[in-house]
Amino acid sequence: MTVRRLGAGLVAAALITPALAACGNGGTGTAGSTATPTVTASGTASASGAPAAGDAKQALLDSTKEISSGNFRFTLAGAGSTAEGQVHQPSQSAAMKFAIGGPSSDLAMKLDVIHYKPDSWVKLELTGPTADSLPAIKQLNLGKYQHLDQARIKGNRNLGFDFDKVDPAGSAVLTQSITEVRSTGTGAYAGTIDVTKAAEAGSLNAATIAALGTQAKTVPFTAKVDPQNRLSELVLQLPAAGQTAAQEIKMTYSDYGAATAAQKPPADQVVEAPAELYSLFN
C-alpha cells in the first residue's frame, strides 16, 4: 500500500475535509410532534395558526450570519471522525484538532493544525498496525509541527484554510438547502434538508452523499440557536445507505466574538514538511 493510496482512503472516510466528522449521539431523527405547524421551503404552512410564512427558515438563515465574522469556536462529530477548534479572523489565524479512526482501527490519525496567515503547520500522530508497518508513515510521526508550503496546499481542504470561507462546516450553505422546517420550542427547530450541496459546504464527503441516493434530498435535521439567535447546534440525522448504518453528524458553535488568536508553534518544535506528508493528503 502506497502512502498516496493510504491518505486518499483515510480522507475519503472522514466527514471533515478539514472534515470534518464520533458516530451517533443518540439522535432519533424523528420529525417531532404533528401538532407543530410545518413551514416548507416556499414559506407556506401546513396547519392553521402557523407562524408567518418562512419565519422558521429565515431565523435559521439569519442565525449563520455571525459565523462569517470569523470569531468563534466549533466542534464537528460524525462518520468516525471528530474535530474541534477556533477561528479568529481579526488575526487571520485558526487552530484545529482532528481525529480520524479509533483505537481498534488499522490506521488512526490525529492532526493538530495551526494557521496563522501566511503560514500553516501540522503535527501528526498516526497509530495502528498499518502505521507501524510502513516506514514512510513512521517518519511522519515526528512529534513536531511540520511547516507547510502554501503553494503545495492551495485548495487542499485537509491542510489548508480559506479565510474568505471561515466556516469549516458551511452551515450557511446547509441552511439555504432546508426543504422543510418548524419551530419545536424556544430557539429549537427541526425539519429536513437537501444535503446534496454538503460536500461544497465541507460537512460531508461526496461519497457519503452519493450513497444516500434520493434520501439525500430529505435528510432530517435539528438545530438550536443561542439567546442572541446565533446558530449553536446543527445535527444531521443520516439514514442508513448501502453498507453504512444510520449515523448522526453534529456541529456546534460557541464563543462568538470571544475566540482568541491561535498560538504559533515554538521555533524549536518546527520542521519543514517532507514530500511524504503532501502525498498523504493529495
Side-chain angles (χ1 to χ4, degrees):
M1 180 184 293
T2 65
V3 172
R4 181 178 297 276
R5 285 178 59 199
L6 176 62
L10 262 177
V11 176
L15 159 71
I16 305 163
T17 50
L20 85 66
C23 293
N25 288 332
T28 63
T30 55
S33 170
T34 56
T36 305
T38 296
V39 179
T40 67
S42 62
T44 59
S46 64
S48 60
D55 277 1
K57 182 173 182 179
Q58 190 59 51
L60 286 177
L61 289 171
D62 292 344
S63 75
T64 67
K65 290 180 178 179
E66 187 61 25
I67 296 173
S68 64
S69 298
N71 193 326
F72 58 88
R73 296 182 185 276
F74 73 92
T75 68
L76 294 171
S81 304
T82 61
E84 62 178 346
Q86 64 184 47
V87 178
H88 192 252
Q89 180 74 286
S91 64
Q92 296 275 276
S93 70
M96 306 176 186
K97 293 184 178 181
F98 308 109
I100 302 171
S104 61
S105 302
D106 286 340
L107 178 61
M109 176 188 291
K110 291 182 180 179
L111 300 90
D112 184 347
V113 186
I114 298 173
H115 303 286
Y116 211 120
K117 202 171 181 178
D119 292 301
S120 297
W121 303 264
V122 61
K123 182 163 66 173
L124 283 174
E125 180 183 345
L126 297 157
T127 58
T130 300
D132 294 338
S133 65
L134 293 176
I137 293 296
K138 287 183 178 180
Q139 69 179 345
L140 297 178
N141 276 333
L142 301 175
K144 291 189 174 184
Y145 287 92
Q146 301 180 54
H147 181 256
L148 301 169
D149 179 348
Q150 296 299 305
R152 300 180 73 172
I153 65 172
K154 187 176 182 180
N156 186 319
R157 298 177 72 177
N158 301 294
L159 296 177
F161 189 79
D162 186 349
F163 282 97
D164 292 325
K165 299 178 181 179
V166 295
D167 182 7
S171 292
V173 174
L174 290 176
T175 54
Q176 288 167 8
S177 300
I178 288 172
T179 54
E180 185 178 273
V181 61
R182 64 191 167 279
S183 172
T184 57
T186 302
Y189 302 88
T192 58
I193 190 167
D194 178 353
V195 300
T196 57
K197 293 185 178 180
E200 172 191 336
S203 306
L204 293 171
N205 62 35
T208 299
I209 296 168
L212 290 171
T214 57
Q215 296 182 105
K217 296 284 188 179
T218 54
V219 169
F221 81 92
T222 60
K224 295 178 182 178
V225 299
D226 67 14
Q228 288 73 45
N229 297 314
R230 301 169 301 195
L231 186 67
S232 60
E233 179 182 290
L234 180 61
V235 180
L236 306 179
Q237 292 143 349
L238 302 184
Q243 301 300 311
T244 304
Q247 59 184 304
E248 181 179 273
I249 307 299
K250 182 177 181 179
M251 52 205 82
T252 69
Y253 299 87
S254 62
D255 291 347
Y256 285 103
T260 57
Q263 298 296 308
K264 298 179 181 179
D268 63 355
Q269 292 297 307
V270 174
V271 296
E272 285 299 319
E276 288 80 6
L277 179 78
Y278 300 103
S279 294
L280 181 65
F281 290 95
N282 288 329

PDB file of all heavy atoms in Angstrom, residues 78-110:
ATOM      1  N   GLY A  78     -18.876  12.943  13.713  1.00  0.00           N
ATOM      2  CA  GLY A  78     -19.661  12.006  12.934  1.00  0.00           C
ATOM      3  C   GLY A  78     -18.785  11.201  12.000  1.00  0.00           C
ATOM      4  O   GLY A  78     -17.627  11.543  11.756  1.00  0.00           O
ATOM      5  N   ALA A  79     -19.323  10.117  11.472  1.00  0.00           N
ATOM      6  CA  ALA A  79     -18.632   9.285  10.487  1.00  0.00           C
ATOM      7  C   ALA A  79     -17.263   8.829  10.971  1.00  0.00           C
ATOM      8  O   ALA A  79     -16.327   8.710  10.194  1.00  0.00           O
ATOM      9  CB  ALA A  79     -18.499  10.026   9.161  1.00  0.00           C
ATOM     10  N   GLY A  80     -17.130   8.580  12.278  1.00  0.00           N
ATOM     11  CA  GLY A  80     -15.872   8.082  12.815  1.00  0.00           C
ATOM     12  C   GLY A  80     -14.794   9.129  12.958  1.00  0.00           C
ATOM     13  O   GLY A  80     -13.628   8.799  13.181  1.00  0.00           O
ATOM     14  N   SER A  81     -15.148  10.404  12.838  1.00  0.00           N
ATOM     15  CA  SER A  81     -14.168  11.481  12.938  1.00  0.00           C
ATOM     16  C   SER A  81     -14.677  12.567  13.871  1.00  0.00           C
ATOM     17  O   SER A  81     -15.880  12.742  14.037  1.00  0.00           O
ATOM     18  CB  SER A  81     -13.904  12.102  11.559  1.00  0.00           C
ATOM     19  OG  SER A  81     -13.498  11.136  10.630  1.00  0.00           O
ATOM     20  N   THR A  82     -13.763  13.289  14.473  1.00  0.00           N
ATOM     21  CA  THR A  82     -14.130  14.432  15.294  1.00  0.00           C
ATOM     22  C   THR A  82     -13.202  15.593  14.975  1.00  0.00           C
ATOM     23  O   THR A  82     -12.068  15.403  14.509  1.00  0.00           O
ATOM     24  CB  THR A  82     -14.041  14.122  16.803  1.00  0.00           C
ATOM     25  OG1 THR A  82     -12.678  13.777  17.126  1.00  0.00           O
ATOM     26  CG2 THR A  82     -14.963  12.981  17.189  1.00  0.00           C
ATOM     27  N   ALA A  83     -13.685  16.787  15.225  1.00  0.00           N
ATOM     28  CA  ALA A  83     -12.858  17.985  15.047  1.00  0.00           C
ATOM     29  C   ALA A  83     -13.309  19.033  16.043  1.00  0.00           C
ATOM     30  O   ALA A  83     -14.477  19.089  16.434  1.00  0.00           O
ATOM     31  CB  ALA A  83     -12.989  18.522  13.625  1.00  0.00           C
ATOM     32  N   GLU A  84     -12.370  19.859  16.445  1.00  0.00           N
ATOM     33  CA  GLU A  84     -12.689  20.999  17.289  1.00  0.00           C
ATOM     34  C   GLU A  84     -11.654  22.078  17.021  1.00  0.00           C
ATOM     35  O   GLU A  84     -10.540  21.786  16.572  1.00  0.00           O
ATOM     36  CB  GLU A  84     -12.672  20.619  18.775  1.00  0.00           C
ATOM     37  CG  GLU A  84     -11.311  20.142  19.273  1.00  0.00           C
ATOM     38  CD  GLU A  84     -11.330  19.813  20.759  1.00  0.00           C
ATOM     39  OE1 GLU A  84     -12.309  20.197  21.435  1.00  0.00           O
ATOM     40  OE2 GLU A  84     -10.384  19.190  21.239  1.00  0.00           O
ATOM     41  N   GLY A  85     -12.035  23.313  17.265  1.00  0.00           N
ATOM     42  CA  GLY A  85     -11.069  24.374  17.035  1.00  0.00           C
ATOM     43  C   GLY A  85     -11.670  25.748  17.192  1.00  0.00           C
ATOM     44  O   GLY A  85     -12.800  25.910  17.654  1.00  0.00           O
ATOM     45  N   GLN A  86     -10.898  26.722  16.788  1.00  0.00           N
ATOM     46  CA  GLN A  86     -11.327  28.109  16.865  1.00  0.00           C
ATOM     47  C   GLN A  86     -10.857  28.844  15.616  1.00  0.00           C
ATOM     48  O   GLN A  86      -9.839  28.505  15.013  1.00  0.00           O
ATOM     49  CB  GLN A  86     -10.759  28.793  18.109  1.00  0.00           C
ATOM     50  CG  GLN A  86      -9.234  28.892  18.115  1.00  0.00           C
ATOM     51  CD  GLN A  86      -8.712  29.496  19.410  1.00  0.00           C
ATOM     52  OE1 GLN A  86      -9.139  29.104  20.502  1.00  0.00           O
ATOM     53  NE2 GLN A  86      -7.804  30.453  19.290  1.00  0.00           N
ATOM     54  N   VAL A  87     -11.638  29.828  15.239  1.00  0.00           N
ATOM     55  CA  VAL A  87     -11.304  30.686  14.114  1.00  0.00           C
ATOM     56  C   VAL A  87     -11.244  32.114  14.625  1.00  0.00           C
ATOM     57  O   VAL A  87     -12.132  32.549  15.374  1.00  0.00           O
ATOM     58  CB  VAL A  87     -12.361  30.572  12.997  1.00  0.00           C
ATOM     59  CG1 VAL A  87     -12.035  31.521  11.846  1.00  0.00           C
ATOM     60  CG2 VAL A  87     -12.443  29.132  12.487  1.00  0.00           C
ATOM     61  N   HIS A  88     -10.189  32.838  14.255  1.00  0.00           N
ATOM     62  CA  HIS A  88     -10.026  34.217  14.711  1.00  0.00           C
ATOM     63  C   HIS A  88      -9.636  35.090  13.527  1.00  0.00           C
ATOM     64  O   HIS A  88      -8.464  35.331  13.264  1.00  0.00           O
ATOM     65  CB  HIS A  88      -8.961  34.288  15.819  1.00  0.00           C
ATOM     66  CG  HIS A  88      -8.937  35.600  16.541  1.00  0.00           C
ATOM     67  ND1 HIS A  88      -7.915  36.518  16.379  1.00  0.00           N
ATOM     68  CD2 HIS A  88      -9.817  36.154  17.419  1.00  0.00           C
ATOM     69  CE1 HIS A  88      -8.152  37.579  17.137  1.00  0.00           C
ATOM     70  NE2 HIS A  88      -9.304  37.380  17.777  1.00  0.00           N
ATOM     71  N   GLN A  89     -10.662  35.533  12.820  1.00  0.00           N
ATOM     72  CA  GLN A  89     -10.439  36.337  11.623  1.00  0.00           C
ATOM     73  C   GLN A  89      -9.658  37.629  11.880  1.00  0.00           C
ATOM     74  O   GLN A  89      -8.818  38.016  11.043  1.00  0.00           O
ATOM     75  CB  GLN A  89     -11.803  36.669  10.991  1.00  0.00           C
ATOM     76  CG  GLN A  89     -11.781  37.502   9.735  1.00  0.00           C
ATOM     77  CD  GLN A  89     -11.307  36.739   8.516  1.00  0.00           C
ATOM     78  OE1 GLN A  89     -10.117  36.464   8.400  1.00  0.00           O
ATOM     79  NE2 GLN A  89     -12.223  36.404   7.635  1.00  0.00           N
ATOM     80  N   PRO A  90      -9.857  38.312  13.023  1.00  0.00           N
ATOM     81  CA  PRO A  90      -9.101  39.549  13.249  1.00  0.00           C
ATOM     82  C   PRO A  90      -7.591  39.369  13.149  1.00  0.00           C
ATOM     83  O   PRO A  90      -6.880  40.276  12.714  1.00  0.00           O
ATOM     84  CB  PRO A  90      -9.529  39.961  14.667  1.00  0.00           C
ATOM     85  CG  PRO A  90     -10.909  39.405  14.811  1.00  0.00           C
ATOM     86  CD  PRO A  90     -10.861  38.083  14.095  1.00  0.00           C
ATOM     87  N   SER A  91      -7.084  38.203  13.551  1.00  0.00           N
ATOM     88  CA  SER A  91      -5.643  37.949  13.470  1.00  0.00           C
ATOM     89  C   SER A  91      -5.283  37.072  12.281  1.00  0.00           C
ATOM     90  O   SER A  91      -4.131  36.690  12.127  1.00  0.00           O
ATOM     91  CB  SER A  91      -5.149  37.291  14.763  1.00  0.00           C
ATOM     92  OG  SER A  91      -5.751  36.013  14.925  1.00  0.00           O
ATOM     93  N   GLN A  92      -6.300  36.714  11.471  1.00  0.00           N
ATOM     94  CA  GLN A  92      -6.082  35.801  10.345  1.00  0.00           C
ATOM     95  C   GLN A  92      -5.440  34.497  10.832  1.00  0.00           C
ATOM     96  O   GLN A  92      -4.440  34.018  10.280  1.00  0.00           O
ATOM     97  CB  GLN A  92      -5.213  36.457   9.273  1.00  0.00           C
ATOM     98  CG  GLN A  92      -5.847  37.672   8.608  1.00  0.00           C
ATOM     99  CD  GLN A  92      -6.753  37.281   7.451  1.00  0.00           C
ATOM    100  OE1 GLN A  92      -6.306  37.073   6.340  1.00  0.00           O
ATOM    101  NE2 GLN A  92      -8.055  37.173   7.732  1.00  0.00           N
ATOM    102  N   SER A  93      -6.024  33.947  11.887  1.00  0.00           N
ATOM    103  CA  SER A  93      -5.479  32.705  12.445  1.00  0.00           C
ATOM    104  C   SER A  93      -6.599  31.735  12.787  1.00  0.00           C
ATOM    105  O   SER A  93      -7.760  32.116  12.958  1.00  0.00           O
ATOM    106  CB  SER A  93      -4.642  32.999  13.697  1.00  0.00           C
ATOM    107  OG  SER A  93      -5.463  33.418  14.779  1.00  0.00           O
ATOM    108  N   ALA A  94      -6.220  30.464  12.876  1.00  0.00           N
ATOM    109  CA  ALA A  94      -7.157  29.411  13.254  1.00  0.00           C
ATOM    110  C   ALA A  94      -6.360  28.245  13.813  1.00  0.00           C
ATOM    111  O   ALA A  94      -5.216  28.013  13.419  1.00  0.00           O
ATOM    112  CB  ALA A  94      -7.981  28.958  12.054  1.00  0.00           C
ATOM    113  N   ALA A  95      -6.951  27.518  14.736  1.00  0.00           N
ATOM    114  CA  ALA A  95      -6.326  26.329  15.318  1.00  0.00           C
ATOM    115  C   ALA A  95      -7.364  25.223  15.357  1.00  0.00           C
ATOM    116  O   ALA A  95      -8.493  25.449  15.791  1.00  0.00           O
ATOM    117  CB  ALA A  95      -5.810  26.620  16.730  1.00  0.00           C
ATOM    118  N   MET A  96      -6.996  24.041  14.886  1.00  0.00           N
ATOM    119  CA  MET A  96      -7.946  22.939  14.779  1.00  0.00           C
ATOM    120  C   MET A  96      -7.283  21.617  15.132  1.00  0.00           C
ATOM    121  O   MET A  96      -6.105  21.423  14.828  1.00  0.00           O
ATOM    122  CB  MET A  96      -8.493  22.858  13.348  1.00  0.00           C
ATOM    123  CG  MET A  96      -9.084  24.155  12.855  1.00  0.00           C
ATOM    124  SD  MET A  96      -9.614  24.061  11.134  1.00  0.00           S
ATOM    125  CE  MET A  96     -10.078  25.790  10.872  1.00  0.00           C
ATOM    126  N   LYS A  97      -8.063  20.720  15.727  1.00  0.00           N
ATOM    127  CA  LYS A  97      -7.596  19.375  16.028  1.00  0.00           C
ATOM    128  C   LYS A  97      -8.591  18.378  15.453  1.00  0.00           C
ATOM    129  O   LYS A  97      -9.802  18.522  15.652  1.00  0.00           O
ATOM    130  CB  LYS A  97      -7.439  19.178  17.538  1.00  0.00           C
ATOM    131  CG  LYS A  97      -6.315  20.018  18.143  1.00  0.00           C
ATOM    132  CD  LYS A  97      -6.121  19.713  19.620  1.00  0.00           C
ATOM    133  CE  LYS A  97      -4.955  20.529  20.183  1.00  0.00           C
ATOM    134  NZ  LYS A  97      -4.719  20.235  21.617  1.00  0.00           N
ATOM    135  N   PHE A  98      -8.076  17.397  14.735  1.00  0.00           N
ATOM    136  CA  PHE A  98      -8.901  16.373  14.100  1.00  0.00           C
ATOM    137  C   PHE A  98      -8.494  14.999  14.591  1.00  0.00           C
ATOM    138  O   PHE A  98      -7.324  14.754  14.872  1.00  0.00           O
ATOM    139  CB  PHE A  98      -8.738  16.405  12.576  1.00  0.00           C
ATOM    140  CG  PHE A  98      -8.945  17.753  11.960  1.00  0.00           C
ATOM    141  CD1 PHE A  98      -7.876  18.463  11.443  1.00  0.00           C
ATOM    142  CD2 PHE A  98     -10.203  18.311  11.893  1.00  0.00           C
ATOM    143  CE1 PHE A  98      -8.057  19.715  10.874  1.00  0.00           C
ATOM    144  CE2 PHE A  98     -10.394  19.558  11.320  1.00  0.00           C
ATOM    145  CZ  PHE A  98      -9.322  20.261  10.810  1.00  0.00           C
ATOM    146  N   ALA A  99      -9.447  14.090  14.654  1.00  0.00           N
ATOM    147  CA  ALA A  99      -9.174  12.692  14.966  1.00  0.00           C
ATOM    148  C   ALA A  99      -9.993  11.835  14.018  1.00  0.00           C
ATOM    149  O   ALA A  99     -11.208  12.023  13.886  1.00  0.00           O
ATOM    150  CB  ALA A  99      -9.532  12.374  16.415  1.00  0.00           C
ATOM    151  N   ILE A 100      -9.326  10.913  13.338  1.00  0.00           N
ATOM    152  CA  ILE A 100      -9.982  10.028  12.373  1.00  0.00           C
ATOM    153  C   ILE A 100      -9.654   8.595  12.767  1.00  0.00           C
ATOM    154  O   ILE A 100      -8.483   8.222  12.855  1.00  0.00           O
ATOM    155  CB  ILE A 100      -9.484  10.303  10.943  1.00  0.00           C
ATOM    156  CG1 ILE A 100      -9.734  11.765  10.569  1.00  0.00           C
ATOM    157  CG2 ILE A 100     -10.169   9.377   9.946  1.00  0.00           C
ATOM    158  CD1 ILE A 100      -9.082  12.176   9.266  1.00  0.00           C
ATOM    159  N   GLY A 101     -10.692   7.804  13.028  1.00  0.00           N
ATOM    160  CA  GLY A 101     -10.470   6.433  13.457  1.00  0.00           C
ATOM    161  C   GLY A 101     -10.256   6.345  14.954  1.00  0.00           C
ATOM    162  O   GLY A 101     -10.019   7.348  15.626  1.00  0.00           O
ATOM    163  N   GLY A 102     -10.335   5.119  15.491  1.00  0.00           N
ATOM    164  CA  GLY A 102     -10.204   4.912  16.929  1.00  0.00           C
ATOM    165  C   GLY A 102      -9.146   3.888  17.260  1.00  0.00           C
ATOM    166  O   GLY A 102      -8.387   3.445  16.388  1.00  0.00           O
ATOM    167  N   PRO A 103      -9.068   3.483  18.532  1.00  0.00           N
ATOM    168  CA  PRO A 103      -8.039   2.548  18.990  1.00  0.00           C
ATOM    169  C   PRO A 103      -8.028   1.220  18.247  1.00  0.00           C
ATOM    170  O   PRO A 103      -6.985   0.577  18.119  1.00  0.00           O
ATOM    171  CB  PRO A 103      -8.392   2.346  20.474  1.00  0.00           C
ATOM    172  CG  PRO A 103      -9.156   3.568  20.856  1.00  0.00           C
ATOM    173  CD  PRO A 103      -9.932   3.950  19.629  1.00  0.00           C
ATOM    174  N   SER A 104      -9.192   0.781  17.745  1.00  0.00           N
ATOM    175  CA  SER A 104      -9.255  -0.507  17.062  1.00  0.00           C
ATOM    176  C   SER A 104      -9.010  -0.401  15.557  1.00  0.00           C
ATOM    177  O   SER A 104      -9.033  -1.413  14.854  1.00  0.00           O
ATOM    178  CB  SER A 104     -10.627  -1.153  17.307  1.00  0.00           C
ATOM    179  OG  SER A 104     -11.663  -0.335  16.791  1.00  0.00           O
ATOM    180  N   SER A 105      -8.767   0.792  15.058  1.00  0.00           N
ATOM    181  CA  SER A 105      -8.571   0.984  13.624  1.00  0.00           C
ATOM    182  C   SER A 105      -7.204   0.481  13.171  1.00  0.00           C
ATOM    183  O   SER A 105      -6.233   0.537  13.923  1.00  0.00           O
ATOM    184  CB  SER A 105      -8.695   2.469  13.262  1.00  0.00           C
ATOM    185  OG  SER A 105      -9.941   2.995  13.641  1.00  0.00           O
ATOM    186  N   ASP A 106      -7.139   0.004  11.936  1.00  0.00           N
ATOM    187  CA  ASP A 106      -5.850  -0.357  11.355  1.00  0.00           C
ATOM    188  C   ASP A 106      -4.945   0.858  11.261  1.00  0.00           C
ATOM    189  O   ASP A 106      -3.725   0.755  11.384  1.00  0.00           O
ATOM    190  CB  ASP A 106      -6.038  -0.961   9.956  1.00  0.00           C
ATOM    191  CG  ASP A 106      -6.599  -2.375  10.013  1.00  0.00           C
ATOM    192  OD1 ASP A 106      -6.480  -3.006  11.083  1.00  0.00           O
ATOM    193  OD2 ASP A 106      -7.148  -2.824   9.001  1.00  0.00           O
ATOM    194  N   LEU A 107      -5.552   1.986  11.015  1.00  0.00           N
ATOM    195  CA  LEU A 107      -4.798   3.232  10.949  1.00  0.00           C
ATOM    196  C   LEU A 107      -5.663   4.351  11.506  1.00  0.00           C
ATOM    197  O   LEU A 107      -6.757   4.609  11.006  1.00  0.00           O
ATOM    198  CB  LEU A 107      -4.389   3.569   9.513  1.00  0.00           C
ATOM    199  CG  LEU A 107      -3.623   4.886   9.330  1.00  0.00           C
ATOM    200  CD1 LEU A 107      -2.311   4.842  10.111  1.00  0.00           C
ATOM    201  CD2 LEU A 107      -3.341   5.143   7.861  1.00  0.00           C
ATOM    202  N   ALA A 108      -5.214   4.985  12.563  1.00  0.00           N
ATOM    203  CA  ALA A 108      -5.909   6.128  13.158  1.00  0.00           C
ATOM    204  C   ALA A 108      -5.016   7.351  13.035  1.00  0.00           C
ATOM    205  O   ALA A 108      -3.781   7.243  13.073  1.00  0.00           O
ATOM    206  CB  ALA A 108      -6.233   5.852  14.625  1.00  0.00           C
ATOM    207  N   MET A 109      -5.634   8.492  12.872  1.00  0.00           N
ATOM    208  CA  MET A 109      -4.876   9.716  12.656  1.00  0.00           C
ATOM    209  C   MET A 109      -5.377  10.834  13.559  1.00  0.00           C
ATOM    210  O   MET A 109      -6.583  11.030  13.705  1.00  0.00           O
ATOM    211  CB  MET A 109      -5.006  10.157  11.187  1.00  0.00           C
ATOM    212  CG  MET A 109      -4.335  11.488  10.870  1.00  0.00           C
ATOM    213  SD  MET A 109      -4.705  12.071   9.180  1.00  0.00           S
ATOM    214  CE  MET A 109      -3.792  10.865   8.227  1.00  0.00           C
ATOM    215  N   LYS A 110      -4.451  11.545  14.163  1.00  0.00           N
ATOM    216  CA  LYS A 110      -4.762  12.770  14.875  1.00  0.00           C
ATOM    217  C   LYS A 110      -3.938  13.884  14.239  1.00  0.00           C
ATOM    218  O   LYS A 110      -2.754  13.704  13.952  1.00  0.00           O
ATOM    219  CB  LYS A 110      -4.433  12.651  16.364  1.00  0.00           C
ATOM    220  CG  LYS A 110      -5.333  11.700  17.123  1.00  0.00           C
ATOM    221  CD  LYS A 110      -4.987  11.678  18.605  1.00  0.00           C
ATOM    222  CE  LYS A 110      -5.900  10.727  19.372  1.00  0.00           C
ATOM    223  NZ  LYS A 110      -5.554  10.685  20.825  1.00  0.00           N
TER     224      LYS A 110
END
